[in-house]
Amino acid sequence: MKDVCILAIESSCDETAAAVVQNGRTVLSNVISSQIELHKLYGGVVPEIASRKHIEKINQVIEQALEDAGRTLEEIDVIGVTYGPGLVGALLVGVAEAKAIAWAKKKPLVGVHHIEGHVAANYIEHPDMEPPFLCLVVSGGHTHLVVVKDYGEFEILGRTRDDAAGEAFDKVARAIGLGYPGGPKIDRLAREGYARSIAFPRAKIAGAPYDFSFSGVKSAVLNYLNQHKMQSLPVPQADLAASFQAAVVDVLVEHTMAAAADFQMDKVAIAGGVASNGALREAMENACAKRRLQFYRPSPIFCTDNAAMIGVAAYYEYKKGVRHGWDLNAKPNLGLGER
Ligand code: KG4
Ligand code: ZN
């Protein structure tokens, strides 16, 4: 088959990103313009500001991605774009841009599911990796344990009942006063703390062994902080961060290992922003080694939002024959496995 060069665009949240990916595995460029500094001022992502920033940056980001890849638009075969889930105004910028380029240059258009992109990030640095495998998807908006049956084909085994893992990191970080985005800050601070100093709850859901709940551990952290405040006691921040992180990581690893055993999976992967967490990567790697399971994880730059992962997922959709029309729209609530 002839080489397929994809220009991929991602704008579902607060990163404006474009990448050029060849044959679904080779990343020729990966440009990410982060808005984090801007949203920090407000303690979280402000959707309207995100949309406005995307429209300002998107052309430059795409130009840079083409330049870094040494490709012109004429040499691109397919335009891939995230169309959901995410912030509607933010998604619309990427979708409109992708449609305009595809229309003007008469290229096929492939809409990509953002979470499918996160999972596909694993293929970039593991050229021989193929489905089926078990994947834990942990991002700011999603926590899913899935069997990846084939490219873009998922069987959902478990999901969060309340907060996503990344959301819990962000909320706890804000409560401790670390600011936005919380995940990387807790990750860093936790390295100086003792993970067993405070016993936070590890939630189990009766009858749903692969589901998650993080609202309990979040409330426990808030109660701990309130009690210390009322008694004017100093808060051991690093110990608190390490203990909270351990509670989340323990549950993520435990449920993933249970699913691997129950479904006889010999390959385990992690994906999404929280998959860049140092403690999770280490704990999952150790748990897999102990059980002789093959463990896969993307480099941190491919865990958090990026367009390279969208280019990879777009390639496998394209190969399946997926083509979107000029009526492609943003789908902010697109569920995993939905189109
Ligand atoms: O996948 P992502 O970039 O965007 C979504 O699709 O949501 O994930 C962002 C989430 C945020 O909640 C952020 O705090 C979390 O991933 N995150 C981390 C780390 N880096 C990012 N959580 C824990 N440890 C990290 N190192
Ligand atoms: Zn994401």
Side-chain angles (χ1 to χ4, degrees), residues 114 118 139-141 166-167 169-170 182-184 187 272-274 276-277 303-305:
H114 181 75
H118 275 303
S139 72
E167 202 178 343
F169 269 94
D170 294 336
D187 192 350
V274 183
S276 60
N277 181 271
C303 287
T304 43
D305 287 349

Side-chain angles (χ1 to χ4, degrees), residues 196-215:
R196 290 175 193 230
S197 55
I198 311 159
F200 287 126
R202 273 85 167 145
K204 278 202 172 14
I205 294 154
Y210 317 119
D211 275 0
F212 303 95
S213 166
F214 297 110
S215 65

Side-chain angles (χ1 to χ4, degrees), residues 50 65 75 115 134 143 145 177 179-180 199 216 247 302 329 337:
E75 291 167 316
I115 300 301
L134 182 67
T143 303
L145 191 53
Y180 176 85
F302 296 125
N329 204 345

Side-chain angles (χ1 to χ4, degrees), residues 75-95:
E75 291 167 316
I76 295 292
D77 303 299
V78 179
I79 311 296
V81 64
T82 306
Y83 72 107
L87 303 169
V88 66
L91 288 164
L92 281 170
V93 174
V95 169

Side-chain angles (χ1 to χ4, degrees), residues 16 50-59 93 97:
T16 318
S51 315
R52 287 170 186 260
K53 215 59 201 170
H54 284 312
I55 201 90
E56 202 177 297
K57 292 280 178 189
I58 198 150
N59 280 353
V93 174
E97 178 86 11

Side-chain angles (χ1 to χ4, degrees), residues 5 27-29 95 99 116 135 180 184 192 275 317 324:
C5 206
V27 176
L28 300 181
S29 65
V95 169
K99 284 163 87 169
E116 189 180 332
C135 189
Y180 176 85
E192 294 155 30
E317 291 295 306
H324 282 95

Side-chain angles (χ1 to χ4, degrees), residues 5-338:
C5 206
I6 299 189
L7 170 67
I9 299 171
E10 154 66 41
S11 69
S12 66
C13 191
D14 59 346
E15 331 277 355
T16 318
V20 178
V21 178
Q22 189 158 305
N23 298 335
R25 298 271 171 159
T26 309
V27 176
L28 300 181
S29 65
N30 186 32
V31 179
I32 305 167
S33 167
S34 175
Q35 306 177 358
I36 283 177
E37 289 306 317
L38 198 60
H39 297 288
K40 247 184 202 169
L41 304 170
Y42 307 94
V45 178
V46 183
E48 187 177 320
I49 294 177
S51 315
R52 287 170 186 260
K53 215 59 201 170
H54 284 312
I55 201 90
E56 202 177 297
K57 292 280 178 189
I58 198 150
N59 280 353
Q60 300 157 62
V61 167
I62 291 171
E63 274 181 358
Q64 191 65 53
L66 289 167
E67 194 185 317
D68 290 357
R71 295 286 194 280
T72 63
L73 263 183
E74 280 67 31
E75 291 167 316
I76 295 292
D77 303 299
V78 179
I79 311 296
V81 64
T82 306
Y83 72 107
L87 303 169
V88 66
L91 288 164
L92 281 170
V93 174
V95 169
E97 178 86 11
K99 284 163 87 169
I101 297 174
W103 183 77
K105 296 287 176 187
K106 302 192 169 39
K107 309 279 181 190
L109 174 70
V110 176
V112 174
H113 194 295
H114 181 75
I115 300 301
E116 189 180 332
H118 275 303
V119 173
N122 276 286
Y123 301 131
I124 298 171
E125 294 154 297
H126 303 110
D128 301 327
M129 185 188 191
E130 281 182 357
F133 57 90
L134 182 67
C135 189
L136 173 73
V137 188
V138 272
S139 72
H142 297 263
T143 303
H144 282 103
L145 191 53
V146 299
V147 175
V148 182
K149 295 196 289 187
D150 203 343
Y151 293 102
E153 304 283 329
F154 307 101
E155 181 185 344
I156 301 174
L157 305 181
R159 64 179 83 222
T160 181
R161 296 287 180 102
D162 37 60
D163 292 349
E167 202 178 343
F169 269 94
D170 294 336
K171 286 178 180 169
V172 164
R174 191 178 310 159
I176 314 180
L178 298 179
Y180 176 85
K185 293 191 170 161
I186 290 193
D187 192 350
R188 218 168 303 129
L189 184 60
R191 282 176 208 160
E192 294 155 30
Y194 182 50
R196 290 175 193 230
S197 55
I198 311 159
F200 287 126
R202 273 85 167 145
K204 278 202 172 14
I205 294 154
Y210 317 119
D211 275 0
F212 303 95
S213 166
F214 297 110
S215 65
V217 61
K218 181 191 66 188
S219 302
V221 172
L222 298 181
N223 286 340
Y224 179 94
L225 285 169
N226 279 339
Q227 278 168 9
H228 276 64
K229 200 169 160 192
M230 276 175 356
Q231 296 168 30
S232 303
L233 293 169
V235 173
Q237 284 213 346
D239 285 345
L240 180 62
S243 301
F244 158 75
Q245 181 175 268
V248 174
V249 167
D250 276 2
V251 171
L252 293 174
V253 174
E254 200 180 294
H255 290 198
T256 306
M257 290 304 114
D262 296 348
F263 289 82
Q264 293 169 345
M265 306 298 298
D266 54 4
K267 292 187 272 181
V268 173
I270 53 175
V274 183
S276 60
N277 181 271
L280 175 62
R281 293 165 83 85
E282 196 185 322
M284 199 67 94
E285 182 160 15
N286 291 339
C288 285
K290 219 162 112 185
R291 293 165 181 81
R292 299 183 186 284
L293 305 170
Q294 186 74 38
F295 175 56
Y296 301 88
R297 78 277 182 283
S299 290
I301 191 69
F302 296 125
C303 287
T304 43
D305 287 349
N306 66 87
M309 66 183 196
I310 302 304
V312 178
Y315 173 76
Y316 289 103
E317 291 295 306
Y318 176 76
K319 270 212 344 184
K320 272 190 256 172
V322 172
R323 309 283 184 273
H324 282 95
W326 304 134
D327 59 347
L328 179 67
N329 204 345
K331 290 197 180 171
N333 300 316
L334 190 63
L336 190 59
E338 287 174 15

